Amino acid sequence: MTCPCGDALVAIDHWSADGKYIYLFPDMMGDGGYDWVWNKQAQLIRLDLSSGYWIDTQMGNSYSFSPADQFIAYRSEGGVYIHDLSTREEIVYPVSADFTDFGRFVWSPDGSSLIFVAAKEDLNLEEQESGLTVFLINLSDSSVISLFEDDLRYLCPIAWPEQNQVIFKSLYERHTYQLDLLTSELISIDWP
């Protein structure tokens, strides 16, 4: 039977560090739009490789695994959830109702901090009055700070290669930037 929505597949998103689980998501292979900014997936499924059993994690709307596989950050109506994969405990960082969309989580190399983006308007609108706001969550002291507010360059984090350097890509200008978290200096760079 052909899927009425077009091409679809089940894609691998993440292998657990202990080799016990694989995380999958259904991919409808849509084209266009800005869902890629938020890493939106309909579901995140955890498959137990020894038993073959799977569960819907209920974390399928923008998520990211920490580097050492200790946490998964995900978006839900209550805000940004940090889920400890070993204890299953969660900490919630509320996000203001002013933001219509948020996500695009990028972890620091040591897994102690997380950056994400939030928008007050749909990115598909032709004339936007506000840009993107970038937040940093520090897990060690539970602080949340804003790095950029309503930035009209529409900077999205794409990598955090060194503890104090984060790489951003502009949505519309196709420029790449490096932010030094110690000095707040933002410079244009070439990035693969």
Side-chain angles (χ1 to χ4, degrees), residues 51-148:
S51 71
Y53 292 114
W54 64 272
I55 62 165
D56 180 348
T57 64
Q58 304 295 314
M59 300 175 190
N61 197 356
S62 195
Y63 55 85
S64 178
F65 292 87
S66 65
D69 247 10
Q70 182 179 1
F71 303 108
I72 181 171
Y74 69 96
R75 168 194 166 163
S76 192
E77 288 182 24
V80 175
Y81 286 68
I82 307 296
H83 178 89
D84 188 310
L85 290 166
S86 60
T87 67
R88 299 191 176 172
E89 293 177 3
E90 291 186 331
I91 300 171
V92 181
Y93 295 89
V95 174
S96 170
D98 293 342
F99 296 103
T100 60
D101 239 332
F102 61 95
R104 192 69 191 172
F105 303 110
V106 175
W107 287 90
S108 64
D110 68 358
S112 68
S113 300
L114 176 75
I115 286 179
F116 71 97
V117 173
K120 293 179 180 173
E121 300 173 305
D122 184 352
L123 293 178
N124 290 321
L125 296 175
E126 289 194 23
E127 292 186 30
Q128 296 167 332
E129 295 180 15
S130 63
L132 294 178
T133 299
V134 177
F135 292 99
L136 183 142
I137 297 174
N138 185 327
L139 299 183
S140 61
D141 64 9
S142 295
S143 64
V144 180
I145 62 168
S146 170
L147 298 177
F148 309 111

Side-chain angles (χ1 to χ4, degrees), residues 146-168:
S146 170
L147 298 177
F148 309 111
E149 292 184 23
D150 287 328
D151 190 284
L152 294 174
R153 290 171 292 190
Y154 296 92
L155 300 180
C156 287
I158 58 171
W160 199 329
E162 295 180 32
Q163 196 61 29
N164 294 310
Q165 296 179 352
V166 182
I167 308 299
F168 290 87

